[in-house]
Amino acid sequence: MNIASLINALPGAAAQGLIWGIMAIGVYITFRVLDIADLTVDGSLCTGGAVCIMMMQAGYNVWIALLCATLVGMLTGMATGLFHTFMGIPAILSGILTQLGLYSINLKIMGKSNQAINVDKYDLLVSLRYVKGVAFYKNTILIVAVIIVIVIAILYWFFGTELGCSLRATGCNGNMARAQGINTNFNRVLGLMISNGLVALSGALLGQYQGFADINMGCGAIVIGLAAVIIGEAIFGKIFHNFALTLLAVALGSIIYYLVLQVVIWLGIDTDLLKLLSALVVAVFLAIPYWQGKYFSKPVKKGGNR
């Protein structure tokens, strides 16, 4: 095993981790803030990539393509939200239905199962080639890091507003929120829209970074998002208490996930097992709080001290 090859691969892993970190922040909003397990992300990630690549191929500016990808991603979240609130379908099934429908929509957007975009012919914002050996202002790691900081700042401001607080209250205790006159159905739809908008933005950046959009690029995205959330909380949870820092921890969790993945590949483990490994990592990190409460917490004494 050549340690130099591992070190050489780490910047690319960090760049990819940052891009997926935006998606992980979107997953955090539904999973932790709204308390909904949203499976739409497996489809909306591809939708973001497909819209961005096709618009850039049609000659649109990269920023316009990113904006449209984000807006279309928000529409996918709205579809899931309406399935859940207006039609009364459980949240997890609503996400599955939207994800299933997006497979056909994504195929129609791209015209075929994948579409490539060449960094030499198009003015891409991020790319594999922009990780090393380029001017610092074109470096993918720097650009995506700046985008994440802007996203976190906007979300921190939004969740401090009256509407943002009502959205958080909806996820914390829907019954109490309704008793206070909050429209919980609207907040759930809004939360799903914001989440999937971020996921689609991540997909748009990922499509540029890898140079193509593929119909299966979102397969297993929810697992990677959950892994980033759980790893970020497990490592930085006791250090970061502020909401903005919590979102930053999620993004850092995504970077750690991809760095660990790169080490696993470097160690020579069969790459066919990576999805299984990801699932096991998420399962273990999800089980840790339960194990701590059941096996490692001190028993509470009944009655007062005499």
Side-chain angles (χ1 to χ4, degrees):
M1 294 180 204
N2 187 359
I3 192 72
S5 64
L6 174 63
I7 294 171
N8 194 47
L10 290 182
Q16 198 167 357
L18 277 168
I19 292 171
W20 282 89
I22 299 172
M23 187 274 300
I25 292 172
V27 171
Y28 178 87
I29 291 171
T30 50
F31 185 62
R32 287 295 190 224
V33 178
L34 273 182
D35 195 25
I36 291 175
D38 179 31
L39 298 183
T40 314
V41 298
D42 280 24
S44 58
L45 185 92
C46 178
T47 304
V51 169
C52 180
I53 298 299
M54 295 309 293
M55 288 195 69
M56 291 195 71
Q57 285 185 359
Y60 288 91
N61 178 276
V62 64
W63 294 105
I64 299 295
L66 286 172
L67 176 62
C68 289
T70 304
L71 292 175
V72 173
M74 293 180 76
L75 287 177
T76 67
M78 185 172 72
T80 299
L82 291 176
F83 280 148
H84 176 48
T85 58
F86 180 68
M87 300 177 71
I89 301 170
I92 193 163
L93 286 178
S94 298
I96 292 171
L97 287 173
T98 308
Q99 177 200 130
L100 185 65
L102 284 175
Y103 188 90
S104 297
I105 292 171
N106 294 338
L107 276 174
K108 281 296 181 183
I109 291 171
M110 293 190 289
K112 55 182 181 179
S113 60
N114 59 73
Q115 286 281 359
I117 191 163
N118 194 323
V119 67
D120 296 323
K121 295 181 181 179
Y122 297 91
D123 188 20
L124 303 183
L125 185 64
V126 296
S127 172
L128 272 163
R129 295 196 201 171
Y130 297 162
V131 174
K132 292 179 286 186
V134 294
F136 79 96
Y137 59 86
K138 290 187 72 175
N139 190 289
T140 293
I141 295 175
L142 175 65
I143 290 171
V144 181
V146 170
I147 291 172
I148 284 179
V149 169
I150 293 170
V151 165
I152 289 174
I154 292 171
L155 289 175
Y156 182 70
W157 166 81
F158 171 74
F159 281 105
T161 64
E162 185 177 345
L163 179 58
C165 289
S166 70
L167 200 153
R168 293 167 79 172
T170 298
C172 185
N173 190 325
N175 293 330
M176 181 61 74
R178 274 192 299 275
Q180 297 297 321
I182 294 171
N183 188 336
T184 54
N185 284 342
F186 171 79
N187 283 336
R188 288 194 179 98
V189 174
L190 178 62
L192 286 163
M193 289 177 69
I194 294 170
S195 170
N196 284 283
L198 290 172
V199 172
L201 173 62
S202 175
L205 290 169
L206 183 62
Q208 291 182 55
Y209 177 78
Q210 63 191 13
F212 64 91
D214 183 82
I215 193 66
N216 293 315
M217 67 186 284
C219 182
I222 186 65
V223 175
I224 297 172
L226 287 174
V229 171
I230 302 303
I231 291 170
E233 287 180 338
I235 295 176
F236 303 105
K238 293 185 178 179
I239 307 170
F240 296 165
H241 300 290
N242 179 280
F243 183 71
L245 292 178
T246 302
L247 295 178
L248 178 62
V250 171
L252 293 175
S254 179
I255 297 171
I256 292 167
Y257 171 82
Y258 268 93
L259 291 176
V260 170
L261 216 59
Q262 196 61 55
V263 172
V264 168
I265 293 169
W266 175 72
L267 289 172
I269 294 175
D270 187 357
T271 52
D272 291 343
L273 300 175
L274 288 180
K275 294 286 187 187
L276 174 61
L277 182 66
S278 300
L280 291 174
V281 167
V282 174
V284 169
F285 273 99
L286 282 170
I288 285 173
Y290 173 75
W291 290 339
Q292 285 178 334
K294 187 169 184 180
Y295 301 113
F296 300 104
S297 61
K298 294 180 180 178
V300 179
K301 291 182 180 179
K302 293 183 180 180
N305 293 325
R306 295 180 180 179

